[in-house]
Amino acid sequence: MVANVRVRGIPWLVAVDSFLPFHEKYKQFIFSKDANQYGWVPFLEKIWAKSNVNYHNVVGGDPLVAIDWLTGYPGFSYSLEYPTEEVKDS
C-alpha cells in the first residue's frame, strides 16, 4: 500500500506492507488502542510511524502533530477546566 502524505509541507509517498504488530495473547494491535478495532486505524498509525522513521519516534507523541500531518492544518486544543486557585491581579 502506498499513501500520499505531507511531511513538513512536502508531498511524500509512503509505502507500507500489510504486517501490523499484533499481540496474540491479548488479541489486540500492539500500538493502536481503538476499542472498535477498525481496520484503517492501525494502517494510518503505521503510515504515520513510517513517515517518522519508526514507531519508537511517535510513541507518546502529541496527537496534534498527527492531526496537522493528516489534515495539512494545525491542530489546536483548549482546556475547559477552571483554575483551582483564584486568579489574582498582578
Side-chain angles (χ1 to χ4, degrees):
M1 170 174 42
V2 177
N4 292 309
V5 298
R6 290 189 173 270
V7 177
R8 294 179 187 87
I10 300 168
W12 279 36
L13 293 176
V14 178
V16 295
D17 57 26
S18 60
F19 173 76
L20 297 172
F22 190 80
H23 200 293
E24 288 293 329
K25 181 178 178 183
Y26 299 110
K27 304 294 184 205
Q28 67 180 13
F29 294 112
I30 292 175
F31 296 104
S32 296
K33 301 299 182 206
D34 181 31
N36 296 317
Q37 297 294 309
Y38 290 113
W40 60 270
V41 173
F43 280 106
L44 185 62
E45 185 178 50
K46 185 170 186 166
I47 293 165
W48 169 239
K50 185 143 185 196
S51 69
N52 285 278
V53 180
N54 57 36
Y55 282 99
H56 179 74
N57 290 335
V58 297
V59 172
D62 187 349
L64 293 178
V65 175
I67 295 295
D68 183 7
W69 170 80
L70 178 64
T71 65
Y73 295 95
F76 298 95
S77 68
Y78 300 96
S79 175
L80 300 176
E81 296 180 16
Y82 292 104
T84 55
E85 296 180 15
E86 233 179 269
V87 179
K88 297 179 181 178
D89 293 332
S90 16

